[in-house]
Every structure is written in structure tokens, then in C-alpha cells.
Amino acid sequence: MVDTSLLVIGAGPYGLAVAAYARHRGIEPTVLGEPMGFWREHMPRGMFLRSGPDWHLDATNVHTFEAYLAERGVDPAAVDPIPVDLFLAYATWFQEIAGLHVRPQLVTALRRHEGAFEADLDGRGTVSATTVVAAPGISHFTNIPHRAVAELPPERFTHTCFLTEVDRARDARTLIIGGRQSAFEWAALLADAGVDEVHVAYRHDTPAFAPADWHFVDPMIDQTVAVPGWFRHLPADQQDAVAQRFWAEGRLKLEPWLTPRMPESVVHRHPRTEVTRCVELPDGDIRAELSTGDVLLVDHVVLATGYRADITAVPYLADLPGLETIDGFPVLDEHMQTSVPGLFLTGFAATHDFGPFFGFVRACPAAAQIIVPELARLLEARAELSGQSR
Ligand SMILES: Cc1cc2nc3c(=O)[nH]c(=O)nc-3n(C[C@H](O)[C@H](O)[C@H](O)COP(=O)(O)OP(=O)(O)OC[C@H]3O[C@@H](n4cnc5c(N)ncnc54)[C@H](O)[C@@H]3O)c2cc1C
């Protein structure tokens, strides 16, 4: 059995950022998960980031994405928008430079045992840990519009989380349900790949194709780090205003570089439209009924319908006694510690209490700065106690 003072479950941006900062502060972590697994396996190949070059993983502000580019003599303006592979290369560089050895193993169960944690690894061993930071991301939280696809065999529809490549035979005529960035990004990727017909159906107006400007987030992140519990202590109307601002930038805008990739002859938009029912016809076509009364015949349905938090859907947290939740999110203290002492949760799971920025890379350094000092304090207290009892 491996014994560690800190187990980090998840090796996406948040897991790597926290693990690197813990190591910087003298806490040697054990890190489990597929390094940037969500980005490699659940984001479309050929995708571009919505975020800019100033977003990075390093709480010490040294090994930034911009530093990575500078070391290679690359002008940030030359990589705008940023290809996903470039950010992945940065993350690999960051992991190496931070000296993080990530074990690509999944945790199947987590339990408290004699004041510590025990994590089972997919059939191969156990890790015992004094403290745990979990950064599960969003892949466990896919939101499925059940009414629309209830009658379809499962192989006829795919959530964008499980879609990475275009299959031209299967996707020749595709209906995309949803009308935000990932819906239109897939429309563009399908059109790029030369599919015949793409329909995008969504209940709202068509968002504006305008560049997002995320700089308004910077002072909020600074506040989050400087003032413990800053977001959670804001009055409800101010929290709503932050969420609205985020919504306006992220959801009411689409990246303008998508527009030329979506010829109207291929990509057909259906704003203010709900897909009410999809059925498979005897000849294999999918018949999709729209709330406008229109009917479409397609070969595949893509669900760009986003994510909805349900922390009990994370396999290793589902049966953990004492883990309190609210609206599917974990209840956290000011250090992102859950109601299970010594267990911290970060990333999207922390957005309810810490603000929407924690669903994005921008807040990775902040998460590390919030969690790691408290981890250090807990571990010191633990060491003192065990010293006294000897
Ligand atoms: C299409 C798309 C585009 C996006 N574009 C951007 C963007 O441009 N900029 C941006 O900032 N954000 C973007 N995001 C959001 C992005 O997902 C988050 O910023 C980021 O991935 C959150 O990091 P994370 O570490 O919390 O989780 P993830 O990146 O999801 O990492 C989860 C980690 O947990 C591991 N894991 C899962 N289950 C287990 C288990 N049982 N045991 C051990 N490990 C496990 C995985 O292997 C992985 O290492 C995008 C999201 C999507 C869906």
C-alpha cells in the first residue's frame, strides 16, 4: 500500500496546479488520473481554446503559458486562438518542470479509515493518505435532454463529452441540440470535415459572434485569494451579477473565428426551437420533430447540452459518508474543504461556493493558493499530535 500525506485525485489543470504548488511548499503529493485526460479524450481534436495566453497553471506565476511560449520564441499573438494541442504541450512541460509523477490510475472508492483516507485504485492496490484533494472536472456531469432522445437507440446520439472526431459516414446529416460555443464549434468541425448537412437547434436566440473578453475576471480572482470566502459572502444580488457577467461573456457570445467555417448551405440554424422528439425510422433515418412544427431527417444527433453538477455521480465520492451537498455541489469551507475533514474539492465542483471562474483554467493558481496553505496547516497539526503521542 502507498502511504502519502497528500493524495491528489485528478490530473487535469486543477489537479496539476494544486499538486505543483503543494510540492513547491514542501508537501510531496501522490497524483492519480490521466494527465490532462479530459482535454485529450473529451475535447474535439482540432479545437481552439476560448481562453487567452495569460491563463496558466502555476500558483507561483513563473511557469506560465506565456513563459512556455517565450522559451520557444513564440509570439502569443501568433497563436490566437490557441490550439488545444499547444495547451496540452504546455501542461506536459509544466508537469515535468514541477517534478510531478502522475500515476495514470483511476480511483474507484474512497473511504475514511482510522483518521486517514484509503483510496482503491481500479483493481490494483490502495493508497493511504492523510489528506485528499479531488479535482474531478465535469465529465461525470453530462446533462442529457431525456425528452428529446428517450426513443432513440443509444448509438444514434452522442453527448459532446464523448465526441472527439467526425465520422463522415455517421455524421453526414447531423442534428446538434444546443446553441452555445460547443454546439457551434462542432458545427464548424463537421463543416470543415465536409459533412453534407448540419442543423443546430436551440431554445434561445443566436448568440453574438463577438470576441470574449475575460479581463473582468482578474480582479475577482485577486479578491478570491486575498479575502477568504469572498464570493460566498457576497450578497445574493452581487453573486447573481457575477454569474450574469460570466454568462454574458461565455454564453451570449460565440467566438467570431467560427463564422467563416459555417457556410449557410451546410450549417442551418434553428433558434428559439426545442427538439421535442427523435425516433428511428425503419429505413434508418432519424426523424427529429421540432417545436416549430418542422421535421428533420438526420443520421446522428449530437447533444451539446452541457453539464449539471451532481457530485454523487463521481464514482469514488458516491458512497462517502458525511459528504454534504447543496444543489449537486459539495458544501465547502473557506479553504475548499468538504464536510469530510481533510478532503478538499476543487474545479467546477467549487463554483457554487467560490464563483463561476473555478470552472475554467483561469482560477487554477487561485485554487492552489487557497487549498495548499490549509493543507500545510493540517499536516503540521497532525505531525505535532503524533509527536506528542509518541
Ligand atoms: C469543449 C470544451 C472546451 C473548453 N475550453 C476551455 C477553454 O478554452 N479554457 C478553459 O479554461 N476551460 C475550458 N473548458 C473547461 C475545462 O474543462 C476546464 O477548464 C478544466 O478541464 C477543468 O479542469 P479540472 O482539473 O477541474 O478537470 P478535468 O480537466 O476534467 O480533469 C479531470 C481529471 O480527473 C481524472 N479523473 C477522472 N476520474 C477519475 C478517477 N476516478 N480517479 C482518478 N482520476 C480521475 C481525469 O483522468 C483527469 O485527469 C472547456 C470545456 C469543454 C467541455
Side-chain angles (χ1 to χ4, degrees), residues 152 156 173 279-288 296-300:
L152 275 187
R156 302 306 301 271
R173 295 168 301 167
V279 287
E280 190 179 41
L281 300 178
D283 66 0
D285 280 354
I286 296 169
R287 178 190 150 94
L296 304 172
L297 293 178
V298 296
D299 301 301
H300 198 70

CSV table of all heavy atoms in Angstrom, one decimal, residues 152 156 173 279-288 296-300:
chain,number,residue,atom,x,y,z
A,152,LEU,N,-34.7,7.1,-28.9
A,152,LEU,CA,-33.6,6.7,-29.8
A,152,LEU,C,-32.7,5.6,-29.2
A,152,LEU,O,-32.3,5.7,-28.0
A,152,LEU,CB,-32.7,7.9,-30.1
A,152,LEU,CG,-33.1,8.9,-31.2
A,152,LEU,CD1,-31.9,9.9,-31.3
A,152,LEU,CD2,-33.4,8.2,-32.5
A,156,ARG,N,-27.4,6.2,-31.5
A,156,ARG,CA,-27.8,7.2,-32.5
A,156,ARG,C,-27.6,8.6,-32.0
A,156,ARG,O,-27.8,9.6,-32.7
A,156,ARG,CB,-29.2,7.0,-32.9
A,156,ARG,CG,-29.6,5.7,-33.5
A,156,ARG,CD,-28.7,5.3,-34.7
A,156,ARG,NE,-28.7,6.2,-35.9
A,156,ARG,CZ,-29.5,6.1,-36.9
A,156,ARG,NH1,-30.4,5.2,-36.9
A,156,ARG,NH2,-29.4,7.0,-37.9
A,173,ARG,N,-25.6,13.7,-42.0
A,173,ARG,CA,-26.6,14.7,-41.7
A,173,ARG,C,-26.7,14.7,-40.2
A,173,ARG,O,-27.1,13.7,-39.6
A,173,ARG,CB,-27.9,14.4,-42.4
A,173,ARG,CG,-27.9,14.4,-43.9
A,173,ARG,CD,-29.2,13.7,-44.4
A,173,ARG,NE,-29.3,12.4,-43.9
A,173,ARG,CZ,-30.4,11.6,-44.0
A,173,ARG,NH1,-31.5,12.1,-44.6
A,173,ARG,NH2,-30.4,10.4,-43.6
A,279,VAL,N,-37.1,9.9,-33.4
A,279,VAL,CA,-37.4,8.5,-33.5
A,279,VAL,C,-36.6,7.9,-34.7
A,279,VAL,O,-36.3,8.6,-35.7
A,279,VAL,CB,-38.9,8.2,-33.7
A,279,VAL,CG1,-39.7,8.4,-32.4
A,279,VAL,CG2,-39.5,9.0,-34.9
A,280,GLU,N,-36.2,6.7,-34.6
A,280,GLU,CA,-35.5,6.0,-35.6
A,280,GLU,C,-36.6,5.4,-36.6
A,280,GLU,O,-37.4,4.6,-36.1
A,280,GLU,CB,-34.6,4.9,-35.1
A,280,GLU,CG,-33.7,4.3,-36.1
A,280,GLU,CD,-32.8,3.2,-35.4
A,280,GLU,OE1,-33.3,2.5,-34.6
A,280,GLU,OE2,-31.6,3.2,-35.7
A,281,LEU,N,-36.5,5.7,-37.9
A,281,LEU,CA,-37.4,5.2,-38.8
A,281,LEU,C,-36.9,3.8,-39.4
A,281,LEU,O,-35.7,3.5,-39.3
A,281,LEU,CB,-37.6,6.1,-40.0
A,281,LEU,CG,-38.1,7.5,-39.6
A,281,LEU,CD1,-38.2,8.5,-40.8
A,281,LEU,CD2,-39.5,7.4,-38.9
A,282,PRO,N,-37.8,3.0,-40.0
A,282,PRO,CA,-37.4,1.7,-40.5
A,282,PRO,C,-36.2,1.8,-41.5
A,282,PRO,O,-35.4,0.8,-41.5
A,282,PRO,CB,-38.7,1.2,-41.2
A,282,PRO,CG,-39.8,1.9,-40.5
A,282,PRO,CD,-39.3,3.2,-40.1
A,283,ASP,N,-36.1,2.8,-42.2
A,283,ASP,CA,-35.0,2.9,-43.2
A,283,ASP,C,-33.7,3.4,-42.6
A,283,ASP,O,-32.7,3.6,-43.3
A,283,ASP,CB,-35.4,3.8,-44.4
A,283,ASP,CG,-35.6,5.2,-44.0
A,283,ASP,OD1,-35.4,5.6,-42.8
A,283,ASP,OD2,-35.9,6.1,-44.9
A,284,GLY,N,-33.8,3.6,-41.3
A,284,GLY,CA,-32.5,4.0,-40.6
A,284,GLY,C,-32.4,5.5,-40.3
A,284,GLY,O,-31.6,6.0,-39.5
A,285,ASP,N,-33.2,6.3,-41.1
A,285,ASP,CA,-33.1,7.8,-40.8
A,285,ASP,C,-33.6,8.1,-39.4
A,285,ASP,O,-34.4,7.3,-38.8
A,285,ASP,CB,-34.1,8.5,-41.8
A,285,ASP,CG,-33.4,8.7,-43.1
A,285,ASP,OD1,-32.3,8.4,-43.3
A,285,ASP,OD2,-34.2,9.1,-44.0
A,286,ILE,N,-33.1,9.2,-38.8
A,286,ILE,CA,-33.7,9.7,-37.6
A,286,ILE,C,-34.6,10.8,-37.9
A,286,ILE,O,-34.3,11.7,-38.6
A,286,ILE,CB,-32.6,10.2,-36.6
A,286,ILE,CG1,-31.7,9.1,-36.2
A,286,ILE,CG2,-33.2,10.9,-35.4
A,286,ILE,CD1,-30.4,9.5,-35.5
A,287,ARG,N,-35.9,10.7,-37.4
A,287,ARG,CA,-36.8,11.8,-37.7
A,287,ARG,C,-36.9,12.6,-36.4
A,287,ARG,O,-37.2,12.1,-35.3
A,287,ARG,CB,-38.2,11.1,-37.9
A,287,ARG,CG,-39.3,12.1,-38.2
A,287,ARG,CD,-40.7,11.3,-38.2
A,287,ARG,NE,-41.7,12.2,-37.7
A,287,ARG,CZ,-42.5,13.0,-38.4
A,287,ARG,NH1,-42.4,12.9,-39.7
A,287,ARG,NH2,-43.4,13.8,-37.9
A,288,ALA,N,-36.5,13.9,-36.6
A,288,ALA,CA,-36.5,14.8,-35.4
A,288,ALA,C,-37.6,15.8,-35.6
A,288,ALA,O,-37.7,16.5,-36.6
A,288,ALA,CB,-35.1,15.5,-35.4
A,296,LEU,N,-37.0,17.1,-39.3
A,296,LEU,CA,-35.7,17.0,-40.0
A,296,LEU,C,-35.4,15.5,-40.1
A,296,LEU,O,-35.8,14.7,-39.2
A,296,LEU,CB,-34.6,17.6,-39.1
A,296,LEU,CG,-34.7,19.1,-38.8
A,296,LEU,CD1,-33.6,19.5,-37.8
A,296,LEU,CD2,-34.6,19.9,-40.1
A,297,LEU,N,-34.7,15.1,-41.2
A,297,LEU,CA,-34.3,13.7,-41.3
A,297,LEU,C,-32.8,13.7,-41.2
A,297,LEU,O,-32.1,14.4,-42.0
A,297,LEU,CB,-34.7,13.1,-42.6
A,297,LEU,CG,-36.2,12.9,-42.8
A,297,LEU,CD1,-36.5,12.3,-44.2
A,297,LEU,CD2,-36.8,12.0,-41.7
A,298,VAL,N,-32.2,13.1,-40.2
A,298,VAL,CA,-30.7,13.1,-40.0
A,298,VAL,C,-30.2,11.7,-39.7
A,298,VAL,O,-30.9,10.8,-39.5
A,298,VAL,CB,-30.4,14.1,-38.8
A,298,VAL,CG1,-30.8,15.5,-39.2
A,298,VAL,CG2,-31.0,13.6,-37.5
A,299,ASP,N,-28.8,11.7,-39.7
A,299,ASP,CA,-28.2,10.4,-39.4
A,299,ASP,C,-27.7,10.2,-38.0
A,299,ASP,O,-27.5,9.1,-37.5
A,299,ASP,CB,-27.0,10.2,-40.4
A,299,ASP,CG,-27.4,10.3,-41.8
A,299,ASP,OD1,-28.2,9.4,-42.2
A,299,ASP,OD2,-27.0,11.2,-42.5
A,300,HIS,N,-27.5,11.4,-37.3
A,300,HIS,CA,-26.9,11.3,-36.0
A,300,HIS,C,-27.3,12.6,-35.2
A,300,HIS,O,-27.5,13.6,-35.8
A,300,HIS,CB,-25.4,11.2,-36.0
A,300,HIS,CG,-24.8,10.7,-34.7
A,300,HIS,ND1,-25.0,9.4,-34.3
A,300,HIS,CD2,-24.1,11.4,-33.8
A,300,HIS,CE1,-24.4,9.3,-33.1
A,300,HIS,NE2,-23.8,10.4,-32.8
